[in-house]
Amino acid sequence: MSNRTVALIKQLVNIPSPSGNTTRVIEFVENYFKELGVDTKRNRKGGLIATLPGEINDQHRMLTAHVDTLGAMVKEIKPNGRLKLDLIGGFRYNAIEGEYCQIETANGEFLTGTILMHQTSVHVYKDAGTAERNQDNMEVRVDAKVDSAEETRALGIEVGDFVSFDPRFEETANGFLKSRHLDDKASVGILMELVRQVVEEQIRLPYTTHFLISNNEEIGYGGNSNITPETVEYLAVDMGAMGDGQSTDEYTVSICVKDASGPYHYGLRKHLVQLAEKNSIGYQLDIYPYYGSDASAAIRSGHDIIHGLIGPGIDSSHAYERTHIDSLEQTEALLKKYLVSKLIKY
Ligand SMILES: [Zn+2]
């Protein structure tokens, strides 16, 4: 797996795709599936569904991962020509302080800049360390000779332009991947690679299986539609949350038992654990305290499905993320077994 999956992840994180502006990355995934000869369709909100036929077609399975990321939008052009931001998705300003960014203008041009505290220079500002990292104090310094709102507007920048953060992808010699947006492009890469394996290894799937590449997860409603009435099991593949008290790590697959939305389906969870045990796949069971997934969004929107959530462990999520190739491998291995397993009894 690893080399192909890592190469896909690298390509994915380098395509800017904050929620609300995901067409380019969806095209990338769509072309990949098309080249494999897989049927795809887009939904109206911009997501992508790839479908692999199975031996049984009156019961379906759906897997989802999301390709949208955190980002920002230009809220105001300040009198000094710098940009005030409005954040897209759930994170804090400290997670992007000092980050390089790209501003996409309405005519499709990309301009570069840096996200900074207004009071950054310690030679000038006494409160550089203590001032609050918030919307008023953080701004984008555009890489252009501008120091008035008019001059910035003359570059083509306007309120509503999308701002994306430099992913800074790096793979270390000892197997760590460091990049923004591993949530959830690591999982999208895994699903893309799995679909390739199913097609090229001619693996027979027991049930028709849909792969929903969702594009609005970070804002809460990516994978809650386009679920066929035949769909019995719906598995979200999204990052495992790490931190104090969490069992998730960067070396195993995290099986979520409960998040802020409540418990995931007990039977499906036990099925996933059994598959991991039987196949010596490293896993951790975990509860994510401040988390919701496309699977819980699907349940909330009224779909009568068996829902589950698994994924690679991601350190410092929604900020300077990192995982290890081991976690990608264990996640991919569990998914590969899951794809050919029987639906649970309910
Ligand atoms: Zn996510």
Side-chain angles (χ1 to χ4, degrees), residues 4 12 24 26 29 38 44 50 60 68 92 118 134 174-175 179 181 206 239 261 282 331 335:
R4 285 175 189 269
L12 288 164
R24 243 175 256 107
I26 286 288
V29 182
V38 174
R44 294 188 189 93
H60 294 183
D68 62 312
R92 310 261 178 248
H118 179 77
N134 60 22
N174 58 357
S179 180
H181 315 319
M239 52 147 280
S261 69
T331 304
L335 286 168

Side-chain angles (χ1 to χ4, degrees), residues 66 68 182-185 217-218 237-239 291-292 318:
H66 69 91
D68 62 312
L182 292 175
D183 169 20
D184 187 27
K185 288 178 168 176
E217 193 277 344
E218 294 293 0
V237 187
D238 205 341
M239 52 147 280
Y291 195 112
H318 284 196

Side-chain angles (χ1 to χ4, degrees), residues 56-61 206-209 230-232 343 346:
I56 295 169
N57 192 36
D58 59 358
Q59 288 180 306
H60 294 183
R61 186 170 254 158
Y207 311 96
T208 295
T209 304
E230 293 86 359
T231 297
V232 179
L343 291 171
Y346 61 92

Side-chain angles (χ1 to χ4, degrees), residues 1-180:
M1 87 143 227
S2 318
N3 286 345
R4 285 175 189 269
T5 308
V6 170
L8 284 169
I9 295 169
K10 184 178 179 180
Q11 286 174 285
L12 288 164
V13 297
N14 278 300
I15 304 172
S17 60
S19 310
N21 187 9
T22 53
T23 308
R24 243 175 256 107
V25 76
I26 286 288
E27 269 168 15
F28 172 78
V29 182
E30 187 177 55
N31 288 336
Y32 177 90
F33 286 141
K34 276 188 180 156
E35 274 167 36
L36 290 170
V38 174
D39 279 342
T40 63
K41 75 168 206 231
R42 287 204 211 178
N43 60 20
R44 294 188 189 93
K45 60 188 178 184
L48 183 75
I49 303 122
T51 301
L52 295 176
E55 280 164 29
I56 295 169
N57 192 36
D58 59 358
Q59 288 180 306
H60 294 183
R61 186 170 254 158
M62 192 169 224
L63 285 82
T64 185
H66 69 91
V67 84
D68 62 312
T69 71
L70 307 174
M73 219 180 226
V74 175
K75 182 188 176 291
E76 286 172 43
I77 301 173
K78 294 178 162 187
N80 65 1
R82 298 193 175 197
L83 313 174
K84 202 182 230 197
L85 293 177
D86 204 52
L87 303 183
I88 299 170
F91 62 106
R92 310 261 178 248
Y93 278 94
N94 63 290
I96 52 169
E97 185 174 0
E99 191 57 280
Y100 290 170
C101 66
Q102 289 191 324
I103 306 116
E104 184 178 352
T105 66
N107 59 21
E109 249 184 287
F110 283 92
L111 298 162
T112 62
T114 306
I115 301 164
L116 294 162
M117 278 292 281
H118 179 77
Q119 312 89 317
T120 288
S121 175
V122 291
H123 304 101
V124 179
Y125 299 102
K126 213 175 179 181
D127 62 344
T130 54
E132 205 187 326
R133 273 60 189 156
N134 60 22
Q135 190 174 50
D136 286 333
N137 290 337
M138 299 284 282
E139 61 189 17
V140 177
R141 177 185 69 192
V142 184
D143 298 325
K145 288 182 174 175
V146 288
D147 49 3
S148 71
E150 295 69 44
E151 287 170 334
T152 297
R153 281 210 157 83
L155 299 171
I157 293 176
E158 198 35 90
V159 171
D161 286 352
F162 281 92
V163 176
S164 53
F165 314 138
D166 188 344
R168 296 194 285 164
F169 178 94
E170 203 177 308
E171 184 184 6
T172 67
N174 58 357
F176 286 101
L177 297 191
K178 302 193 289 182
S179 180
R180 285 188 188 276

